[in-house]
Amino acid sequence: NFYTYTVESSNDEGIKVKNDNMLMENEKKGYATLSVECDGKESKRDINVIVRAKEISLQDTEKKIKIGEKYQVIANIIPSEASEAELYYLSDNEEVAKVNQFGEVEGIKDGEAIINVFNKNKEVQNEIKIIVLKEPVEKIELDEKKSKKNMVS
């Protein structure tokens, strides 16, 4: 069967049919009316047009923190108009570093963990390596006079 389809109207001139599977493509979210004709019959449908995420950019790809220290993962979905723009965070080693729903990482014990950042449909993802370090030991200075006096008595 031969069919034709056209975008009759939309809220954005940039909405267009991408391929023969009638996937819609656009740089902005919106709506369109799609008209399909097959064997002399026509059907019209109002559709929502989505913008697919292309990538997640991270400010850092690796970060060193101390035990008990917190670090905020800075992540952005590209394009910013993507329909599934909400980000999720997951640690591959929660014994070393935990991450909450807002991307705040806390160092738990020394070691390494990977924080995965992804969107709802897992269309795009990225990761940051977290290295948790033990708190450095403070320098201890000895008073030589007191040490000698204690050793003599």
Side-chain angles (χ1 to χ4, degrees):
N1 292 346
F2 180 75
Y3 61 90
T4 60
Y5 48 86
T6 57
V7 176
E8 288 198 351
S9 63
S10 73
N11 69 325
D12 186 327
E13 294 296 319
I15 295 175
K16 56 186 178 279
V17 175
K18 184 175 180 182
N19 60 31
D20 287 339
N21 293 326
M22 297 192 318
L23 295 174
M24 301 302 287
E25 177 182 83
N26 196 25
E27 297 298 317
K28 297 178 185 172
K29 291 185 253 187
Y31 64 89
T33 301
L34 184 67
S35 176
V36 178
E37 186 177 327
C38 181
D39 295 333
K41 295 180 183 175
E42 184 179 36
S43 178
K44 292 183 182 184
R45 296 277 187 246
D46 291 329
I47 58 172
N48 287 322
V49 179
I50 64 168
V51 176
R52 295 214 180 271
K54 294 182 179 165
E55 70 176 288
I56 294 172
S57 69
L58 297 175
Q59 180 175 313
D60 300 305
T61 56
E62 182 176 298
K63 184 70 177 175
K64 293 179 182 177
I65 61 175
K66 298 174 187 169
I67 294 172
E69 186 178 353
K70 292 184 179 182
Y71 163 74
Q72 179 64 51
V73 175
I74 305 296
N76 293 300
I77 198 149
I78 298 171
S80 60
E81 296 84 12
S83 299
E84 296 294 341
E86 188 173 354
L87 295 176
Y88 298 86
Y89 304 85
L90 184 64
S91 173
D92 77 338
N93 191 349
E94 288 198 343
E95 292 179 5
V96 171
K98 289 186 178 183
V99 63
N100 67 18
Q101 65 189 23
F102 305 109
E104 184 180 67
V105 179
E106 181 178 4
I108 305 300
K109 75 173 195 175
D110 65 312
E112 295 181 1
I114 300 294
I115 304 299
N116 293 293
V117 184
F118 52 93
N119 70 341
K120 183 178 180 179
N121 295 330
K122 295 188 178 179
E123 293 171 317
V124 290
Q125 53 188 355
N126 207 338
E127 61 185 37
I128 178 172
K129 181 179 185 178
I130 301 293
I131 302 169
V132 180
L133 306 170
K134 288 183 179 178
E135 189 73 37
V137 177
E138 290 184 28
K139 186 175 177 182
I140 300 173
E141 293 187 31
L142 298 174
D143 185 339
E144 288 184 32
K145 292 179 183 176
K146 288 183 180 178
S147 297
K148 287 182 182 178
K149 184 177 178 184
N150 289 337
M151 291 172 65
V152 173
S153 19

